[in-house]
């Protein structure tokens, strides 16, 4: 209910919790229920800021949602550019 309420107010959401609790599947199912494409992106420490820029550009153009798996693996330098 909290995520759907946030989306109704044009906010986003960031499910958090321990590994294996269904955060990615819940996000994908919510996107399917709301007829929005969900792109799952597996993050690694080799991602560059240019790659993230292209990824966000594509998301904005297509109106899709992003689900970042292993978000904690992104280098702090790349994360600061993304923020």
């Amino acid at each position: 209910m909290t995520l759907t309420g946030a989306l109704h107010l044009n906010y986003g959401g960031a499910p958090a919790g321990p590994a294996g609790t269904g955060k990615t599947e819940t996000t994908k199912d919510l996107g399917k229920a709301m007829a929005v494409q969900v792109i799952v992106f597996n993050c690694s420490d080799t991602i560059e800021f240019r790659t993230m820029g292209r990824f966000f550009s594509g998301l904005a153009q297509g109106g899709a949602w992003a689900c970042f798996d292993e978000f904690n693996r992104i280098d702090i330098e790349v994360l600061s550019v993304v923020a």
Side-chain angles (χ1 to χ4, degrees):
M1 291 298 261
T2 304
L3 278 175
T4 55
L7 293 170
H8 178 72
L9 297 171
N10 293 320
Y11 291 122
T21 57
K23 298 178 294 293
T24 300
E25 291 303 316
T26 301
T27 303
K28 289 171 24 181
D29 289 343
L30 182 60
K32 187 182 291 186
M34 299 187 78
V36 177
Q37 183 181 13
V38 177
I39 308 293
V40 179
F41 189 82
N42 292 315
C43 301
S44 72
D45 55 354
T46 61
I47 295 175
E48 296 180 350
F49 70 93
R50 289 180 192 90
T51 305
M52 294 301 289
R54 281 187 241 124
F55 184 74
F56 283 122
S57 175
L59 284 174
Q61 291 175 28
W65 289 355
C67 181
F68 295 98
D69 270 351
E70 304 296 333
F71 191 74
N72 57 322
R73 291 186 181 179
I74 299 177
D75 284 338
I76 193 69
E77 293 84 12
V78 176
L79 196 56
S80 66
V81 172
V82 169

